[in-house]
PDB file of all heavy atoms in Angstrom:
ATOM      1  N   GLY A  15     104.284  92.217  72.721  1.00 98.00           N
ATOM      2  CA  GLY A  15     102.931  92.342  72.168  1.00 98.00           C
ATOM      3  C   GLY A  15     102.591  93.795  71.906  1.00 98.00           C
ATOM      4  O   GLY A  15     101.487  94.264  72.179  1.00 98.00           O
ATOM      5  N   ALA A  16     103.587  94.519  71.344  1.00 98.00           N
ATOM      6  CA  ALA A  16     103.494  95.987  71.317  1.00 98.00           C
ATOM      7  C   ALA A  16     103.003  96.550  69.995  1.00 98.00           C
ATOM      8  O   ALA A  16     102.982  97.761  69.832  1.00 98.00           O
ATOM      9  CB  ALA A  16     104.858  96.580  71.658  1.00 98.00           C
ATOM     10  N   SER A  17     102.578  95.699  69.049  1.00 98.00           N
ATOM     11  CA  SER A  17     102.214  96.258  67.748  1.00 98.00           C
ATOM     12  C   SER A  17     100.773  96.770  67.708  1.00 98.00           C
ATOM     13  O   SER A  17     100.376  97.438  66.760  1.00 98.00           O
ATOM     14  CB  SER A  17     102.436  95.223  66.640  1.00 98.00           C
ATOM     15  OG  SER A  17     101.532  94.154  66.790  1.00 98.00           O
ATOM     16  N   GLN A  18      99.974  96.461  68.718  1.00 97.00           N
ATOM     17  CA  GLN A  18      98.584  96.946  68.752  1.00 97.00           C
ATOM     18  C   GLN A  18      98.033  96.786  70.165  1.00 97.00           C
ATOM     19  O   GLN A  18      98.697  96.249  71.057  1.00 97.00           O
ATOM     20  CB  GLN A  18      97.706  96.164  67.767  1.00 97.00           C
ATOM     21  CG  GLN A  18      97.582  94.686  68.117  1.00 97.00           C
ATOM     22  CD  GLN A  18      96.727  93.902  67.121  1.00 97.00           C
ATOM     23  OE1 GLN A  18      96.746  94.174  65.930  1.00 97.00           O
ATOM     24  NE2 GLN A  18      95.979  92.930  67.612  1.00 97.00           N
ATOM     25  N   GLY A  19      96.819  97.244  70.360  1.00 96.00           N
ATOM     26  CA  GLY A  19      96.079  96.985  71.592  1.00 96.00           C
ATOM     27  C   GLY A  19      96.775  97.472  72.857  1.00 96.00           C
ATOM     28  O   GLY A  19      97.380  98.559  72.889  1.00 96.00           O
ATOM     29  N   ILE A  20      96.677  96.665  73.898  1.00 98.00           N
ATOM     30  CA  ILE A  20      97.185  97.051  75.219  1.00 98.00           C
ATOM     31  C   ILE A  20      98.698  97.268  75.183  1.00 98.00           C
ATOM     32  O   ILE A  20      99.223  98.203  75.800  1.00 98.00           O
ATOM     33  CB  ILE A  20      96.802  95.964  76.256  1.00 98.00           C
ATOM     34  CG1 ILE A  20      95.276  95.962  76.454  1.00 98.00           C
ATOM     35  CG2 ILE A  20      97.523  96.179  77.584  1.00 98.00           C
ATOM     36  CD1 ILE A  20      94.741  94.751  77.225  1.00 98.00           C
ATOM     37  N   GLY A  21      99.421  96.404  74.443  1.00 98.00           N
ATOM     38  CA  GLY A  21     100.877  96.540  74.386  1.00 98.00           C
ATOM     39  C   GLY A  21     101.305  97.846  73.734  1.00 98.00           C
ATOM     40  O   GLY A  21     102.205  98.536  74.235  1.00 98.00           O
ATOM     41  N   LEU A  38     108.274  94.845  71.012  1.00 98.00           N
ATOM     42  CA  LEU A  38     108.465  93.481  70.506  1.00 98.00           C
ATOM     43  C   LEU A  38     107.121  92.896  70.062  1.00 98.00           C
ATOM     44  O   LEU A  38     106.139  92.999  70.791  1.00 98.00           O
ATOM     45  CB  LEU A  38     109.082  92.617  71.618  1.00 98.00           C
ATOM     46  CG  LEU A  38     109.414  91.154  71.292  1.00 98.00           C
ATOM     47  CD1 LEU A  38     110.548  90.652  72.203  1.00 98.00           C
ATOM     48  CD2 LEU A  38     108.228  90.209  71.372  1.00 98.00           C
ATOM     49  N   SER A  39     107.106  92.323  68.879  1.00 98.00           N
ATOM     50  CA  SER A  39     105.989  91.462  68.432  1.00 98.00           C
ATOM     51  C   SER A  39     106.437  90.855  67.102  1.00 98.00           C
ATOM     52  O   SER A  39     107.621  90.977  66.743  1.00 98.00           O
ATOM     53  CB  SER A  39     104.675  92.236  68.299  1.00 98.00           C
ATOM     54  OG  SER A  39     104.595  92.901  67.066  1.00 98.00           O
ATOM     55  N   ARG A  40     105.513  90.240  66.371  1.00 98.00           N
ATOM     56  CA  ARG A  40     105.951  89.565  65.139  1.00 98.00           C
ATOM     57  C   ARG A  40     105.961  90.500  63.936  1.00 98.00           C
ATOM     58  O   ARG A  40     106.720  90.285  62.996  1.00 98.00           O
ATOM     59  CB  ARG A  40     105.010  88.376  64.846  1.00 98.00           C
ATOM     60  CG  ARG A  40     105.060  87.295  65.901  1.00 98.00           C
ATOM     61  CD  ARG A  40     103.869  86.370  65.799  1.00 98.00           C
ATOM     62  NE  ARG A  40     102.629  87.099  65.957  1.00 98.00           N
ATOM     63  CZ  ARG A  40     101.420  86.565  65.931  1.00 98.00           C
ATOM     64  NH1 ARG A  40     101.280  85.279  65.733  1.00 98.00           N
ATOM     65  NH2 ARG A  40     100.337  87.308  66.078  1.00 98.00           N
ATOM     66  N   ASN A  41     105.113  91.524  63.936  1.00 98.00           N
ATOM     67  CA  ASN A  41     104.900  92.350  62.748  1.00 98.00           C
ATOM     68  C   ASN A  41     105.921  93.510  62.672  1.00 98.00           C
ATOM     69  O   ASN A  41     105.690  94.592  63.209  1.00 98.00           O
ATOM     70  CB  ASN A  41     103.463  92.884  62.786  1.00 98.00           C
ATOM     71  CG  ASN A  41     103.105  93.653  61.542  1.00 98.00           C
ATOM     72  OD1 ASN A  41     103.957  94.208  60.858  1.00 98.00           O
ATOM     73  ND2 ASN A  41     101.818  93.696  61.255  1.00 98.00           N
ATOM     74  N   LEU A  62     109.785  89.399  66.726  1.00 98.00           N
ATOM     75  CA  LEU A  62     110.035  88.067  67.289  1.00 98.00           C
ATOM     76  C   LEU A  62     108.717  87.376  67.601  1.00 98.00           C
ATOM     77  O   LEU A  62     107.787  88.010  68.117  1.00 98.00           O
ATOM     78  CB  LEU A  62     110.850  88.238  68.592  1.00 98.00           C
ATOM     79  CG  LEU A  62     111.201  86.973  69.366  1.00 98.00           C
ATOM     80  CD1 LEU A  62     112.129  86.067  68.552  1.00 98.00           C
ATOM     81  CD2 LEU A  62     111.865  87.324  70.694  1.00 98.00           C
ATOM     82  N   ASP A  63     108.666  86.071  67.333  1.00 98.00           N
ATOM     83  CA  ASP A  63     107.502  85.259  67.689  1.00 98.00           C
ATOM     84  C   ASP A  63     107.769  84.595  69.042  1.00 98.00           C
ATOM     85  O   ASP A  63     108.598  83.679  69.127  1.00 98.00           O
ATOM     86  CB  ASP A  63     107.269  84.207  66.591  1.00 98.00           C
ATOM     87  CG  ASP A  63     106.046  83.347  66.870  1.00 98.00           C
ATOM     88  OD1 ASP A  63     105.466  83.440  67.981  1.00 98.00           O
ATOM     89  OD2 ASP A  63     105.660  82.575  65.962  1.00 98.00           O
ATOM     90  N   LEU A  64     107.076  85.048  70.073  1.00 98.00           N
ATOM     91  CA  LEU A  64     107.312  84.489  71.417  1.00 98.00           C
ATOM     92  C   LEU A  64     106.857  83.039  71.513  1.00 98.00           C
ATOM     93  O   LEU A  64     107.208  82.335  72.452  1.00 98.00           O
ATOM     94  CB  LEU A  64     106.588  85.330  72.477  1.00 98.00           C
ATOM     95  CG  LEU A  64     107.171  86.722  72.734  1.00 98.00           C
ATOM     96  CD1 LEU A  64     106.298  87.490  73.726  1.00 98.00           C
ATOM     97  CD2 LEU A  64     108.601  86.642  73.260  1.00 98.00           C
ATOM     98  N   GLY A  65     106.059  82.601  70.548  1.00 97.00           N
ATOM     99  CA  GLY A  65     105.599  81.214  70.552  1.00 97.00           C
ATOM    100  C   GLY A  65     106.593  80.258  69.930  1.00 97.00           C
ATOM    101  O   GLY A  65     106.372  79.047  69.920  1.00 97.00           O
ATOM    102  N   ASN A  88     103.685  90.280  77.538  1.00 98.00           N
ATOM    103  CA  ASN A  88     102.351  90.348  76.944  1.00 98.00           C
ATOM    104  C   ASN A  88     102.417  89.770  75.537  1.00 98.00           C
ATOM    105  O   ASN A  88     103.441  89.891  74.857  1.00 98.00           O
ATOM    106  CB  ASN A  88     101.944  91.837  76.874  1.00 98.00           C
ATOM    107  CG  ASN A  88     100.672  92.088  76.100  1.00 98.00           C
ATOM    108  OD1 ASN A  88      99.629  91.490  76.392  1.00 98.00           O
ATOM    109  ND2 ASN A  88     100.748  92.975  75.111  1.00 98.00           N
ATOM    110  N   SER A  89     101.345  89.101  75.112  1.00 98.00           N
ATOM    111  CA  SER A  89     101.220  88.732  73.688  1.00 98.00           C
ATOM    112  C   SER A  89      99.767  88.352  73.449  1.00 98.00           C
ATOM    113  O   SER A  89      98.918  88.619  74.297  1.00 98.00           O
ATOM    114  CB  SER A  89     102.192  87.607  73.298  1.00 98.00           C
ATOM    115  OG  SER A  89     101.790  86.378  73.848  1.00 98.00           O
ATOM    116  N   GLY A  90      99.489  87.745  72.314  1.00 95.00           N
ATOM    117  CA  GLY A  90      98.094  87.465  71.964  1.00 95.00           C
ATOM    118  C   GLY A  90      97.521  86.299  72.751  1.00 95.00           C
ATOM    119  O   GLY A  90      98.230  85.365  73.121  1.00 95.00           O
ATOM    120  N   GLY A  91      96.218  86.363  73.014  1.00 93.00           N
ATOM    121  CA  GLY A  91      95.566  85.283  73.755  1.00 93.00           C
ATOM    122  C   GLY A  91      95.393  84.032  72.908  1.00 93.00           C
ATOM    123  O   GLY A  91      95.245  84.123  71.687  1.00 93.00           O
ATOM    124  N   GLN A 111     104.094  79.990  74.456  1.00 98.00           N
ATOM    125  CA  GLN A 111     103.987  81.426  74.164  1.00 98.00           C
ATOM    126  C   GLN A 111     103.875  82.273  75.437  1.00 98.00           C
ATOM    127  O   GLN A 111     104.370  83.395  75.478  1.00 98.00           O
ATOM    128  CB  GLN A 111     102.780  81.675  73.268  1.00 98.00           C
ATOM    129  CG  GLN A 111     102.698  83.120  72.790  1.00 98.00           C
ATOM    130  CD  GLN A 111     101.514  83.335  71.878  1.00 98.00           C
ATOM    131  OE1 GLN A 111     101.195  82.490  71.056  1.00 98.00           O
ATOM    132  NE2 GLN A 111     100.846  84.449  72.033  1.00 98.00           N
ATOM    133  N   HIS A 112     103.246  81.743  76.455  1.00 98.00           N
ATOM    134  CA  HIS A 112     102.975  82.567  77.637  1.00 98.00           C
ATOM    135  C   HIS A 112     103.906  82.236  78.802  1.00 98.00           C
ATOM    136  O   HIS A 112     104.665  83.094  79.249  1.00 98.00           O
ATOM    137  CB  HIS A 112     101.500  82.430  78.039  1.00 98.00           C
ATOM    138  CG  HIS A 112     100.590  83.023  77.003  1.00 98.00           C
ATOM    139  ND1 HIS A 112     100.256  84.354  76.986  1.00 98.00           N
ATOM    140  CD2 HIS A 112     100.013  82.479  75.906  1.00 98.00           C
ATOM    141  CE1 HIS A 112      99.489  84.605  75.941  1.00 98.00           C
ATOM    142  NE2 HIS A 112      99.325  83.479  75.268  1.00 98.00           N
ATOM    143  N   ILE A 138     100.720  90.640  81.506  1.00 98.00           N
ATOM    144  CA  ILE A 138      99.343  90.988  81.129  1.00 98.00           C
ATOM    145  C   ILE A 138      98.615  89.673  80.892  1.00 98.00           C
ATOM    146  O   ILE A 138      98.903  88.967  79.914  1.00 98.00           O
ATOM    147  CB  ILE A 138      99.302  91.859  79.851  1.00 98.00           C
ATOM    148  CG1 ILE A 138     100.366  92.973  79.916  1.00 98.00           C
ATOM    149  CG2 ILE A 138      97.897  92.413  79.617  1.00 98.00           C
ATOM    150  CD1 ILE A 138     100.350  93.803  81.171  1.00 98.00           C
ATOM    151  N   ILE A 139      97.707  89.336  81.800  1.00 98.00           N
ATOM    152  CA  ILE A 139      97.055  88.033  81.649  1.00 98.00           C
ATOM    153  C   ILE A 139      95.535  88.214  81.509  1.00 98.00           C
ATOM    154  O   ILE A 139      95.101  88.748  80.489  1.00 98.00           O
ATOM    155  CB  ILE A 139      97.549  87.007  82.695  1.00 98.00           C
ATOM    156  CG1 ILE A 139      97.691  87.550  84.108  1.00 98.00           C
ATOM    157  CG2 ILE A 139      98.900  86.510  82.275  1.00 98.00           C
ATOM    158  CD1 ILE A 139      98.214  86.513  85.112  1.00 98.00           C
ATOM    159  N   SER A 140      94.752  87.860  82.492  1.00 97.00           N
ATOM    160  CA  SER A 140      93.297  87.950  82.271  1.00 97.00           C
ATOM    161  C   SER A 140      92.568  87.827  83.607  1.00 97.00           C
ATOM    162  O   SER A 140      93.076  87.195  84.538  1.00 97.00           O
ATOM    163  CB  SER A 140      92.859  86.820  81.341  1.00 97.00           C
ATOM    164  OG  SER A 140      91.453  86.731  81.313  1.00 97.00           O
ATOM    165  N   THR A 141      91.350  88.368  83.657  1.00 97.00           N
ATOM    166  CA  THR A 141      90.518  88.182  84.855  1.00 97.00           C
ATOM    167  C   THR A 141      90.218  86.699  85.073  1.00 97.00           C
ATOM    168  O   THR A 141      89.768  86.313  86.144  1.00 97.00           O
ATOM    169  CB  THR A 141      89.179  88.923  84.716  1.00 97.00           C
ATOM    170  OG1 THR A 141      88.550  88.505  83.500  1.00 97.00           O
ATOM    171  CG2 THR A 141      89.371  90.436  84.697  1.00 97.00           C
ATOM    172  N   ARG A 157      96.718  80.922  81.696  1.00 98.00           N
ATOM    173  CA  ARG A 157      96.783  82.160  82.507  1.00 98.00           C
ATOM    174  C   ARG A 157      96.957  81.814  83.979  1.00 98.00           C
ATOM    175  O   ARG A 157      97.656  82.520  84.709  1.00 98.00           O
ATOM    176  CB  ARG A 157      95.520  82.998  82.376  1.00 98.00           C
ATOM    177  CG  ARG A 157      95.033  83.291  80.991  1.00 98.00           C
ATOM    178  CD  ARG A 157      95.997  84.005  80.140  1.00 98.00           C
ATOM    179  NE  ARG A 157      95.321  84.495  78.954  1.00 98.00           N
ATOM    180  CZ  ARG A 157      95.799  85.424  78.158  1.00 98.00           C
ATOM    181  NH1 ARG A 157      96.991  85.951  78.397  1.00 98.00           N
ATOM    182  NH2 ARG A 157      95.146  85.811  77.094  1.00 98.00           N
ATOM    183  N   PRO A 183      93.290  92.396  82.394  1.00 97.00           N
ATOM    184  CA  PRO A 183      92.359  93.255  81.653  1.00 97.00           C
ATOM    185  C   PRO A 183      90.948  92.677  81.670  1.00 97.00           C
ATOM    186  O   PRO A 183      90.762  91.459  81.625  1.00 97.00           O
ATOM    187  CB  PRO A 183      92.907  93.239  80.220  1.00 97.00           C
ATOM    188  CG  PRO A 183      94.269  92.637  80.294  1.00 97.00           C
ATOM    189  CD  PRO A 183      94.277  91.754  81.508  1.00 97.00           C
ATOM    190  N   GLY A 184      89.982  93.567  81.735  1.00 96.00           N
ATOM    191  CA  GLY A 184      88.597  93.170  81.478  1.00 96.00           C
ATOM    192  C   GLY A 184      88.337  93.355  79.992  1.00 96.00           C
ATOM    193  O   GLY A 184      89.266  93.257  79.175  1.00 96.00           O
ATOM    194  N   PHE A 185      87.074  93.644  79.627  1.00 96.00           N
ATOM    195  CA  PHE A 185      86.749  93.824  78.210  1.00 96.00           C
ATOM    196  C   PHE A 185      87.392  95.128  77.724  1.00 96.00           C
ATOM    197  O   PHE A 185      86.930  96.220  78.084  1.00 96.00           O
ATOM    198  CB  PHE A 185      85.236  93.896  78.009  1.00 96.00           C
ATOM    199  CG  PHE A 185      84.495  92.645  78.442  1.00 96.00           C
ATOM    200  CD1 PHE A 185      83.273  92.740  79.112  1.00 96.00           C
ATOM    201  CD2 PHE A 185      84.999  91.382  78.176  1.00 96.00           C
ATOM    202  CE1 PHE A 185      82.579  91.593  79.505  1.00 96.00           C
ATOM    203  CE2 PHE A 185      84.317  90.229  78.562  1.00 96.00           C
ATOM    204  CZ  PHE A 185      83.103  90.342  79.234  1.00 96.00           C
ATOM    205  N   THR A 186      88.419  95.004  76.908  1.00 97.00           N
ATOM    206  CA  THR A 186      89.197  96.175  76.487  1.00 97.00           C
ATOM    207  C   THR A 186      89.105  96.316  74.972  1.00 97.00           C
ATOM    208  O   THR A 186      89.274  95.323  74.251  1.00 97.00           O
ATOM    209  CB  THR A 186      90.677  95.989  76.919  1.00 97.00           C
ATOM    210  OG1 THR A 186      90.688  95.603  78.287  1.00 97.00           O
ATOM    211  CG2 THR A 186      91.473  97.261  76.730  1.00 97.00           C
ATOM    212  N   THR A 188      90.162  96.431  71.858  1.00 93.00           N
ATOM    213  CA  THR A 188      91.359  96.154  71.041  1.00 93.00           C
ATOM    214  C   THR A 188      90.960  95.163  69.940  1.00 93.00           C
ATOM    215  O   THR A 188      89.860  94.600  69.981  1.00 93.00           O
ATOM    216  CB  THR A 188      92.464  95.478  71.883  1.00 93.00           C
ATOM    217  OG1 THR A 188      92.038  94.138  72.179  1.00 93.00           O
ATOM    218  CG2 THR A 188      92.758  96.224  73.178  1.00 93.00           C
ATOM    219  N   PRO A 189      91.862  94.897  68.994  1.00 91.00           N
ATOM    220  CA  PRO A 189      91.540  93.892  67.972  1.00 91.00           C
ATOM    221  C   PRO A 189      91.211  92.518  68.567  1.00 91.00           C
ATOM    222  O   PRO A 189      90.405  91.767  68.004  1.00 91.00           O
ATOM    223  CB  PRO A 189      92.822  93.844  67.131  1.00 91.00           C
ATOM    224  CG  PRO A 189      93.399  95.228  67.259  1.00 91.00           C
ATOM    225  CD  PRO A 189      93.106  95.628  68.673  1.00 91.00           C
ATOM    226  N   ARG A 190      91.799  92.195  69.727  1.00 87.00           N
ATOM    227  CA  ARG A 190      91.481  90.910  70.380  1.00 87.00           C
ATOM    228  C   ARG A 190      89.980  90.861  70.728  1.00 87.00           C
ATOM    229  O   ARG A 190      89.314  89.865  70.500  1.00 87.00           O
ATOM    230  CB  ARG A 190      92.336  90.748  71.647  1.00 87.00           C
ATOM    231  CG  ARG A 190      91.856  89.724  72.682  1.00 87.00           C
ATOM    232  CD  ARG A 190      92.307  88.317  72.371  1.00 87.00           C
ATOM    233  NE  ARG A 190      91.994  87.375  73.450  1.00 87.00           N
ATOM    234  CZ  ARG A 190      92.067  86.071  73.316  1.00 87.00           C
ATOM    235  NH1 ARG A 190      92.434  85.527  72.177  1.00 87.00           N
ATOM    236  NH2 ARG A 190      91.787  85.266  74.311  1.00 87.00           N
ATOM    237  N   LEU A 191      89.466  91.956  71.282  1.00 92.00           N
ATOM    238  CA  LEU A 191      88.052  92.004  71.668  1.00 92.00           C
ATOM    239  C   LEU A 191      87.168  91.900  70.422  1.00 92.00           C
ATOM    240  O   LEU A 191      86.177  91.158  70.407  1.00 92.00           O
ATOM    241  CB  LEU A 191      87.741  93.299  72.426  1.00 92.00           C
ATOM    242  CG  LEU A 191      86.339  93.339  73.034  1.00 92.00           C
ATOM    243  CD1 LEU A 191      86.278  92.529  74.324  1.00 92.00           C
ATOM    244  CD2 LEU A 191      85.889  94.755  73.315  1.00 92.00           C
TER     245      LEU A 191
HETATM  246  N1  NAP B 301      91.261  92.939  75.017  1.00 63.65           N
HETATM  247  C1  NAP B 301      90.625  92.293  75.985  1.00 63.65           C
HETATM  248  O1  NAP B 301      89.419  92.479  76.178  1.00 63.65           O
HETATM  249  C2  NAP B 301      91.373  91.326  76.876  1.00 63.65           C
HETATM  250  C3  NAP B 301      90.705  90.788  77.984  1.00 63.65           C
HETATM  251  C4  NAP B 301      91.380  89.893  78.816  1.00 63.65           C
HETATM  252  C5  NAP B 301      92.675  89.539  78.519  1.00 63.65           C
HETATM  253  N2  NAP B 301      93.301  90.077  77.430  1.00 63.65           N
HETATM  254  C6  NAP B 301      94.666  89.630  77.148  1.00 63.65           C
HETATM  255  O2  NAP B 301      95.580  90.712  77.247  1.00 63.65           O
HETATM  256  C7  NAP B 301      96.624  90.521  76.278  1.00 63.65           C
HETATM  257  C8  NAP B 301      96.695  91.738  75.343  1.00 63.65           C
HETATM  258  O3  NAP B 301      95.414  91.921  74.811  1.00 63.65           O
HETATM  259  P1  NAP B 301      95.092  92.803  73.511  1.00 63.65           P
HETATM  260  O4  NAP B 301      93.623  92.930  73.512  1.00 63.65           O
HETATM  261  O5  NAP B 301      95.956  93.988  73.452  1.00 63.65           O
HETATM  262  O6  NAP B 301      95.509  91.743  72.379  1.00 63.65           O
HETATM  263  P2  NAP B 301      95.689  91.946  70.801  1.00 63.65           P
HETATM  264  O7  NAP B 301      94.950  93.126  70.313  1.00 63.65           O
HETATM  265  O8  NAP B 301      95.392  90.607  70.206  1.00 63.65           O
HETATM  266  O9  NAP B 301      97.259  92.245  70.650  1.00 63.65           O
HETATM  267  C9  NAP B 301      98.180  91.228  70.950  1.00 63.65           C
HETATM  268  C10 NAP B 301      99.591  91.708  70.670  1.00 63.65           C
HETATM  269  O10 NAP B 301     100.477  90.608  70.890  1.00 63.65           O
HETATM  270  C11 NAP B 301     101.273  90.389  69.714  1.00 63.65           C
HETATM  271  N3  NAP B 301     101.484  88.943  69.588  1.00 63.65           N
HETATM  272  C12 NAP B 301     100.542  87.997  69.364  1.00 63.65           C
HETATM  273  N4  NAP B 301     101.114  86.797  69.276  1.00 63.65           N
HETATM  274  C13 NAP B 301     102.453  86.986  69.453  1.00 63.65           C
HETATM  275  C14 NAP B 301     103.563  86.119  69.469  1.00 63.65           C
HETATM  276  N5  NAP B 301     103.429  84.804  69.261  1.00 63.65           N
HETATM  277  N6  NAP B 301     104.799  86.653  69.685  1.00 63.65           N
HETATM  278  C15 NAP B 301     104.954  87.987  69.881  1.00 63.65           C
HETATM  279  N7  NAP B 301     103.928  88.859  69.880  1.00 63.65           N
HETATM  280  C16 NAP B 301     102.691  88.356  69.670  1.00 63.65           C
HETATM  281  C17 NAP B 301     100.475  90.994  68.571  1.00 63.65           C
HETATM  282  O11 NAP B 301     101.304  91.516  67.536  1.00 63.65           O
HETATM  283  P3  NAP B 301     101.867  90.731  66.263  1.00 63.65           P
HETATM  284  O12 NAP B 301     100.693  90.237  65.514  1.00 63.65           O
HETATM  285  O13 NAP B 301     102.655  91.801  65.588  1.00 63.65           O
HETATM  286  O14 NAP B 301     102.750  89.646  66.791  1.00 63.65           O
HETATM  287  C18 NAP B 301      99.821  92.186  69.268  1.00 63.65           C
HETATM  288  O15 NAP B 301     100.717  93.288  69.292  1.00 63.65           O
HETATM  289  C19 NAP B 301      96.294  89.232  75.514  1.00 63.65           C
HETATM  290  O16 NAP B 301      96.966  88.146  76.100  1.00 63.65           O
HETATM  291  C20 NAP B 301      94.795  89.110  75.732  1.00 63.65           C
HETATM  292  O17 NAP B 301      94.318  87.790  75.603  1.00 63.65           O
HETATM  293  C21 NAP B 301      92.686  90.968  76.612  1.00 63.65           C
END
Side-chain angles (χ1 to χ4, degrees):
S17 67
Q18 64 181 35
I20 292 168
L38 182 154
S39 83
R40 296 163 301 181
N41 185 334
L62 179 64
D63 182 351
L64 289 176
N88 172 54
S89 72
Q111 187 179 321
H112 293 274
I138 315 309
I139 43 181
S140 169
T141 54
R157 310 301 193 163
F185 299 140
T186 311
T188 71
R190 161 84 173 167
L191 188 79

